[in-house]
Structures are given as structure tokens and as C-alpha cells.
């Protein structure tokens, strides 16, 4: 039996010397020390069957060998664990490997435009205000001096939700909400989405963005309106932008104007975005109608003000030469990643 133990010792030593990985060492451990069928385990189990005079010495030698092999196995494991950790840490700190590319997202071009416009008006001390997209008819029409029979109230111009609620068709609603809760002086802009059941084409979508503006104080005049809007257009498009103020009508302003910007896509020659006219309407504006002041409880003898509404998509299209409004809403990264 002592001879057999000697053979086992040599074999185990040899096996461990050949082992090339942690898994192989684990397999050797099972082969020699495993509870079921392990070589040493079997030897120990066989001791009671030996002649009595051999039992004690064989038992001692078998146990010594068991401890010896256990130690060798732990040493071998240590060798591989150390190696594997070392190669892991090498991987972690290999600065020569190319970095992993994590694509960064960025703001949608329309959000970029809104942010830029907010920045321009903030410099002029305008506050930023927001209002709900689901509105009451009162804020979208009545309080804005829009008569009951006005065509913009028709079903084909407004998305009605029932119970006098609708999807707001303009951000002018926010003027009323702000004036209701604030006394003059007021300087505010209100960016947001608006909704109209328009037929979709290169310039129209059923949801788009506007920025409403309002300034109210004693002695505000049409020249203030012209100054602020010219300053805005020059800041956004550059000093040599061409602007055109056309007399117009809005129920909530008197007098009213529509403001066009020269079409930067065709340089004024005429294209599908400017309906061949060379100009694109980007703003509606005017002096706040006294009826609106009366509705919100402002003294229309004391205060005057101007208001305007900017079309965000139109401005963005003009600035970047985009010829189709649909591109903003298709979520095509080939388009969006250019901004
Ligand atoms: N709400 C108008 C529209 O959607 C735009 C507008 C025009 C807003 C004149 C104004 C304004 O505040 O004074 O067409």
C-alpha cells in the first residue's frame, strides 16, 4: 500500500505540473480528493480492509499525502488566479487600445432654434412662459377677441376635443394666461407646439411650433415692436437679413402686420418653400387690441403693448436651407445628425 501511495504522489505531482488552467487544476482536485471516487478517498476507504498491523501506518501516510496534494493544488490555483487577474488588469489599463465609440445624441434642430431664440429674447429681458397644449376655447379664441363666426374656429381649422376643449391652434393663448395672473409691465415669450388640421405639404404640418411674444407697459409703441423684431431677425439670421412688414389683420392686434424674411433657399428668385414669391412669412405681429386688455382687466387707456407669433419650423428651414417641413418629424437620423 505504501508503494501505491508513492505512485499516487508522483502521479499527482506530474498531473499538476502539466495543468495549464484553473479548470484543469479543479479537475485534478476532483480526481484525487473528490468525495466520490477520488483516488485518495478510495485509499482511505480501503484501510479498514487491510491487515491490522498496516492500518495505522497506512492511515497516517494517506492523510499526510492528502494534505500534501491539497497544498499543491492550492499553490497551483494561486498561480493561475494570479495570472488571470494579471491579464485582466492588463486589459483594463491598455491605453494603446482604440477607445469605445459612444455616439452622443444632440438636440433636435427645432429645439436648437427654440433655445437660440430664447437666448436672444432673454438678453432683452423677456421671461420664458409656457401654457397647456390642450386648451379651453376661451383662451384660444374668446379672450383673443376672435368672434364666434371667425373662420379659424371652424372644424377644419381646429382640432376639437369636445366640452369646449381643443388642441391649441396658436401660442397666443399664453398671452392671456400670463396677463390674467401678472400686472404690467410684461415682457415674455412662450414657445410651444400648436396643432392645425392643415393638409401636409412642403411648408405645412398638422403640428408645428410657435413662439409667442408679448410686451406691455405704459408708452409701448409700434416702433418698439419694429425695433425688437428687427433686432431679433438680425441676431438670428445676421445683419444683412432683408425683412418686409406687410399690413395685415389679427383679431387680437390693431394695427397688425405680417413679417416676411427674404427666402434664403432661392435667394429671392422663387422656389417651392416661398411659393415662388422670394419671401417667406415667419412672423405675425401687432399692437395688442384694447379689447384684449379689457378682457384681462388691464386699463387700456394706460397701457399699450405689442405681440408677435414666430413660426419656428419656417425660421429653421430658412436658416439651414431645408426645403421640406416633413423632414423635421420623420426621425430620419441621416437628416437629424446634420445639426
Ligand atoms: N397667433 C398668430 C398665428 O398663429 C400669430 C400671431 C400674430 C401672434 C400676431 C401674435 C400676433 O401675438 O400679435 O397665426
Amino acid at each position: 500500500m505504501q508503494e501505491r501511495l508513492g505512485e499516487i504522489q508522483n502521479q499527482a505531482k506530474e498531473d499538476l505540473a502539466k495543468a495549464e488552467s484553473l479548470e484543469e487544476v479543479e479537475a485534478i482536485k476532483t480526481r484525487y480528493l473528490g468525495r466520490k471516487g477520488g483516488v485518495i478517498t478510495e485509499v482511505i476507504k480501503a484501510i479498514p480492509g487491510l491487515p491490522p498491523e498496516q492500518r495505522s501506518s497506512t492511515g497516517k501516510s494517506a492523510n499526510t499525502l492528502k494534505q500534501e496534494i491539497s497544498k499543491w493544488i492550492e499553490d497551483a490555483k494561486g498561480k493561475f488566479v494570479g495570472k488571470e487577474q494579471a491579464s485582466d488588469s492588463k486589459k483594463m489599463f491598455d491605453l494603446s487600445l482604440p477607445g469605445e465609440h459612444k455616439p452622443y445624441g444632440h438636440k433636435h434642430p427645432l429645439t436648437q432654434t427654440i433655445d437660440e431664440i430664447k437666448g436672444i429674447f432673454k438678453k432683452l429681458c423677456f421671461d420664458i412662459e409656457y401654457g397647456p397644449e390642450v386648451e379651453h376655447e376661451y383662451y384660444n379664441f374668446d379672450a383673443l377677441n376672435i368672434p364666434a363666426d371667425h373662420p379659424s374656429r371652424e372644424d377644419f381649422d381646429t382640432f376639437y376635443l369636445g366640452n369646449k376643449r381643443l388642441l391649441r391652434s396658436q401660442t397666443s393663448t399664453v398671452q392671456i394666461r400670463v396677463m390674467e395672473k401678472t400686472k404690467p409691465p410684461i415682457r415674455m415669450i412662450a414657445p410651444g407646439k400648436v396643432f392645425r388640421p392643415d393638409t401636409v405639404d412642403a411648408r405645412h404640418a398638422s403640428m408645428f411650433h410657435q413662439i409667442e411674444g408679448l410686451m406691455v407697459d405704459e408708452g409701448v409703441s409700434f416702433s418698439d415692436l419694429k425695433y425688437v423684431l428687427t433686432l431679433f431677425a438680425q441676431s438670428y439670421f445676421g445683419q444683412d437679413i432683408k425683412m418686409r412688414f406687410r399690413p395685415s389683420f389679427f383679431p387680437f392686434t390693431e394695427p397688425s402686420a405680417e413679417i416676411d424674411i427674404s427666402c434664403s433657399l432661392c435667394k429671392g428668385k422663387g422656389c417651392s418653400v416661398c411659393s415662388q414669391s422670394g419671401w417667406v412669412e415667419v412672423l405675425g405681429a401687432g399692437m395688442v387690441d384694447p379689447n384684449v386688455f379689457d378682457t384681462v382687466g388691464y386699463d387700456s387707456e394706460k397701457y399699450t403693448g405689442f405681440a408677435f407669433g414666430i413660426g419656428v419650423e419656417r425660421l429653421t428651414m430658412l436658416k439651414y436651407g431645408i426645403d421640406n417641413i416633413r423632414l423635421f418629424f420623420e426621425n430620419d437620423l441621416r437628416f437629424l445628425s446634420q445639426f
Side-chain angles (χ1 to χ4, degrees):
M1 191 44 108
Q2 292 297 345
E3 228 172 84
R4 170 86 184 114
L5 286 173
E7 277 168 27
I8 294 172
Q9 189 184 35
N10 290 337
Q11 191 61 50
K13 211 186 257 179
E14 206 174 297
D15 288 353
L16 281 167
K18 279 191 214 149
E20 280 175 357
S21 68
L22 203 54
E23 287 92 76
E24 284 182 41
V25 176
E26 290 290 355
I28 293 169
K29 184 176 177 184
T30 315
R31 192 173 337 133
Y32 285 88
L33 307 176
R35 281 206 206 164
K36 274 189 200 155
V39 178
I40 298 283
T41 318
E42 290 305 306
V43 170
I44 292 171
K45 267 193 202 159
I47 291 173
L50 293 176
E53 65 280 6
Q54 289 180 20
R55 283 182 206 158
S56 139
S57 60
T58 310
K60 256 191 207 153
S61 310
N63 268 324
T64 312
L65 181 59
K66 186 179 172 182
Q67 279 164 15
E68 200 171 19
I69 294 178
S70 298
K71 188 176 174 304
W72 292 343
I73 285 171
E74 287 315 309
D75 289 350
K77 269 194 199 170
K79 207 167 74 189
F80 288 114
V81 169
K83 247 191 200 162
E84 277 168 23
Q85 274 176 354
S87 72
D88 270 358
S89 59
K90 219 186 209 169
K91 253 185 239 154
M92 270 191 317
F93 292 106
D94 185 352
L95 296 175
S96 65
L97 287 174
E100 250 177 71
H101 176 65
K102 297 239 185 338
Y104 283 114
H106 63 71
K107 287 183 182 172
H108 190 280
L110 294 176
T111 311
Q112 292 181 32
T113 301
I114 292 172
D115 286 350
E116 195 178 338
I117 297 173
K118 284 199 300 202
I120 295 170
F121 281 101
K122 269 190 200 164
K123 282 191 201 152
L124 299 171
C125 297
F126 279 63
D127 295 325
I128 316 290
E129 302 280 354
Y130 296 94
E133 289 167 11
V134 172
E135 258 297 6
H136 194 281
E137 273 186 46
Y138 174 77
Y139 291 101
N140 204 78
F141 298 123
D142 304 312
L144 286 161
N145 198 35
I146 298 177
D149 58 354
H150 193 275
S152 67
R153 294 207 189 217
E154 300 280 350
D155 281 1
F156 49 80
D157 274 318
T158 303
F159 287 110
Y160 285 95
L161 302 171
N163 205 14
K164 291 194 171 276
R165 307 277 153 177
L166 43 77
L167 293 179
R168 68 176 175 191
S169 59
Q170 50 185 350
T171 44
S172 301
T173 52
V174 189
Q175 299 183 14
I176 305 298
R177 288 184 170 275
V178 170
M179 285 194 279
E180 268 182 352
K181 60 168 201 215
T182 329
K183 296 244 163 303
I186 288 181
R187 285 187 207 191
M188 59 137 255
I189 60 163
K193 293 189 180 74
V194 300
F195 306 84
R196 289 183 200 174
D198 278 338
T199 307
V200 178
D201 63 20
R203 288 191 304 163
H204 298 89
S206 48
M207 184 281 297
F208 56 100
H209 297 75
Q210 286 187 332
I211 296 183
E212 186 72 13
L214 176 72
M215 176 167 172
V216 183
D217 203 346
E218 288 180 44
V220 174
S221 68
F222 200 90
S223 49
D224 295 316
L225 160 70
K226 232 179 149 179
Y227 175 74
V228 167
L229 290 182
T230 307
L231 203 71
F232 157 70
Q234 287 177 344
S235 311
Y236 186 74
F237 287 107
Q239 292 299 317
D240 28 75
I241 180 71
K242 279 200 212 115
M243 285 176 92
R244 183 168 82 167
F245 283 70
R246 278 183 292 114
S248 184
F249 173 78
F250 296 103
F252 34 93
T253 44
E254 184 61 36
S256 306
E258 274 173 320
I259 295 136
D260 303 333
I261 299 284
S262 52
C263 182
S264 57
L265 278 139
C266 61
K267 304 275 175 284
K269 283 195 205 95
C271 66
S272 69
V273 168
C274 62
S275 301
Q276 314 304 328
S277 71
W279 295 93
V280 183
E281 185 207 322
V282 290
L283 272 150
M287 299 306 291
V288 180
D289 193 293
N291 285 342
V292 174
F293 283 153
D294 292 345
T295 304
V296 296
Y298 280 9
D299 181 350
S300 55
E301 294 294 324
K302 187 171 172 194
Y303 294 109
T304 50
F306 64 78
F308 57 89
I310 305 174
V312 175
E313 279 75 3
R314 296 255 176 107
L315 278 196
T316 315
M317 289 166 81
L318 280 179
K319 182 148 170 173
Y320 298 110
I322 299 161
D323 62 2
N324 197 327
I325 197 171
R326 282 172 277 216
L327 288 164
F328 290 124
F329 308 118
E330 286 171 345
N331 264 348
D332 187 337
L333 290 181
R334 287 170 303 178
F335 170 72
L336 295 175
S337 59
Q338 296 176 50
F339 297 90

